Amino acid sequence: MGTVTIGVSIAVPEPHGSLLQERRAGFGDAAAHGIPTHVTLLPPTEVDAGALGAVRAHLSEVAAVGRPFPMRLSGTGTFRPLSPVVYVRVVEGADDCAWLQQRVRDASGPLERELQFPYHPHVTVAHGIDEAAMDRAFAELAEFEAEWSCMGFALYEQGADGVWRKLHEYAFGGAVVPPQVGHVERGSIASR
């Protein structure tokens, strides 16, 4: 049956997702249009295609005990020089993301794996491009802000063409996030 490469992530909703994807492409990241804008819960992982049913069942169980939570992105960060990545920071919801990714990779399920680096939730906006473009991404998105209520996550598969496609969405089983007083969903990049 062969293997497939999958990932689990929280999608950055519109209009923020498309805006960050276009900016990533504009910085020269050739992979930008093949990767939906997201916060990773499980990095690219090769699994037996026959195990997808067990993976789906496991993710359904994780989602059933999950609860909606507020997510907020603000400003930029980088993993350089350790890894050639510039990202938008997750400043609210990071603990919830960490909790989720631990359950996704739990030893009792089919997705147990070690991570190459300690888990740090973020939204990649430049990866593996030249240093000047990385610096530009870091500076130009430094004022970026977005917030929303995270209601679940999704399972993706990477095609032979390198494009990531959603296989299934998983909604949390808990109550809806209560609206925050004065909460406004926004996404902006300060013009310079």
Side-chain angles (χ1 to χ4, degrees), residues 77-131:
T78 184
F79 294 130
R80 294 180 295 173
L82 188 59
S83 181
V85 172
V86 171
Y87 59 86
V88 172
R89 298 178 312 124
V90 175
V91 296
E92 186 174 2
D95 289 343
D96 298 284
C97 291
W99 182 88
L100 279 170
Q101 67 88 27
Q102 286 176 337
R103 267 111 200 115
V104 168
R105 295 184 305 104
D106 190 82
S108 67
L111 296 174
E112 178 186 15
R113 67 165 283 184
E114 293 296 318
L115 297 178
Q116 183 179 2
F117 300 105
Y119 182 73
H120 181 83
H122 64 280
V123 177
T124 299
V125 291
H127 181 231
I129 57 178
D130 69 70
E131 288 297 317

Side-chain angles (χ1 to χ4, degrees), residues 20-93:
L20 289 175
Q21 189 175 42
E22 289 303 316
R23 294 304 306 268
R24 183 173 178 172
F27 297 131
D29 191 329
H33 289 295
I35 305 171
T37 307
H38 67 282
V39 176
T40 299
L41 298 176
L42 177 75
T45 301
E46 193 172 294
V47 298
D48 188 312
L52 281 177
V55 166
R56 284 187 169 120
H58 171 66
L59 294 177
S60 291
E61 291 172 9
V62 171
V65 298
R67 298 293 179 262
F69 57 91
M71 287 280 288
R72 187 164 65 89
L73 308 179
S74 180
T76 51
T78 184
F79 294 130
R80 294 180 295 173
L82 188 59
S83 181
V85 172
V86 171
Y87 59 86
V88 172
R89 298 178 312 124
V90 175
V91 296
E92 186 174 2

